[in-house]
Amino acid sequence: MVIAAPVADRLRDDILQGAFPPGERLIELQLTERYGVGRAAIRAALVELDAEGLVQREANRGATVRRISVAEAVEITEARAALEGLIARLAAERATDVERDQLRALLAEMTEAVEQDDKLAYSKLNRDLHGSLCRIARHRVADDLVGNLRNRAAHHQFRLALVPGRAAESLAQHRAIVEAVTSGDGHAAEDAMRTHLTSVIDVLRHWEALDTRA
């Protein structure tokens, strides 16, 4: 017997994968049909995702997928830089041989995705790599905080992945992170992660400037 994942997890995945774009209304009756659960379970899931910042609930108006401004995405990425710098350093200090091999394998998949110009695959692998570093670091609080932050800005991360040439630039930055982690150099890993996320902030600020002019 296959046990279905909790409805909050399934709805979260659908939002992050673009099934429900920012601003879309989340209608309880439609969600009960989609996930095969009662309205109480849907409401509980919406409360949970509201607390995570993915969903916005308003009295008498229901729930919508939350829109994250570019300015907020910049702040989110700044917070991630501090936390993920710590995570990269801890991952370098704590990674096992098996985990180092897994990181190298992920990097090889990312390289192949860039060579094939598969932006969607690269975006997913990018997320997988950051998630792997969080697990390897074995810092539960930082892992929880980073997961929440990444989810909130997922729409902008997906948009970033589609920018021409961005994947190749990102790959070089991730290679520096992986090489530092797998060599056990915590300080270099932290610096490489901060450099990577600073480049993300630079792109977001460019978009923010364009939006302001518009």
Side-chain angles (χ1 to χ4, degrees):
M1 176 180 177
V2 177
I3 300 175
V7 66
D9 292 346
R10 295 157 66 192
L11 178 55
R12 183 189 301 106
D13 287 344
D14 281 345
I15 291 173
L16 295 179
Q17 292 169 12
F20 300 105
E24 181 164 333
R25 286 189 62 208
L26 298 169
I27 300 170
E28 289 184 7
L29 181 58
Q30 293 177 356
L31 295 177
T32 62
E33 295 172 352
R34 182 183 182 94
Y35 299 114
V37 298
R39 296 186 78 159
I42 293 299
R43 287 171 185 156
L46 292 173
V47 169
E48 182 175 338
L49 298 188
D50 182 21
E52 293 179 11
L54 276 180
V55 167
Q56 185 171 6
R57 295 161 61 243
E58 297 182 69
N60 303 318
R61 296 189 63 184
T64 58
V65 178
R66 187 160 179 254
R67 294 183 188 274
I68 302 295
S69 69
V70 177
E72 186 174 355
V74 168
E75 292 186 357
I76 286 170
T77 311
E78 288 172 338
R80 281 183 55 201
L83 287 165
E84 294 200 56
L86 167 66
I87 283 169
R89 176 168 58 80
L90 293 176
E93 296 169 356
R94 298 175 178 179
T96 64
D97 289 341
V98 170
E99 289 168 337
R100 293 187 185 100
D101 287 342
Q102 291 171 343
L103 290 176
R104 294 186 186 103
L106 262 176
L107 184 64
E109 290 184 64
M110 293 171 77
T111 302
E112 183 177 358
V114 170
E115 290 173 349
Q116 296 180 355
D117 196 28
D118 190 339
K119 295 181 177 65
L120 296 181
Y122 183 82
S123 180
K124 179 183 181 302
L125 290 166
N126 182 347
R127 189 177 185 86
D128 290 346
L129 179 60
H130 282 265
S132 294
L133 291 170
C134 285
R135 289 190 295 274
I136 292 169
R138 298 176 181 84
H139 193 298
R140 183 178 57 80
V141 172
D143 189 359
D144 288 345
L145 290 170
V146 167
N148 183 287
L149 291 168
R150 284 183 62 83
N151 286 349
R152 288 174 61 185
H155 173 69
H156 292 290
Q157 291 295 321
F158 180 74
R159 178 185 172 193
L160 189 69
L162 299 180
V163 173
R166 175 61 197 174
E169 181 181 359
S170 170
L171 177 63
Q173 295 164 1
H174 284 99
R175 181 175 289 111
I177 295 167
V178 170
E179 288 176 352
V181 170
T182 55
S183 67
D185 190 335
H187 292 297
E190 182 171 2
D191 288 345
M193 179 63 78
R194 286 178 177 271
T195 296
H196 165 55
L197 290 173
T198 296
S199 78
V200 172
I201 291 168
D202 289 343
V203 176
L204 291 171
R205 283 182 171 151
H206 175 66
W207 289 347
E208 185 179 18
L210 293 177
D211 290 345
T212 300
R213 291 174 197 161

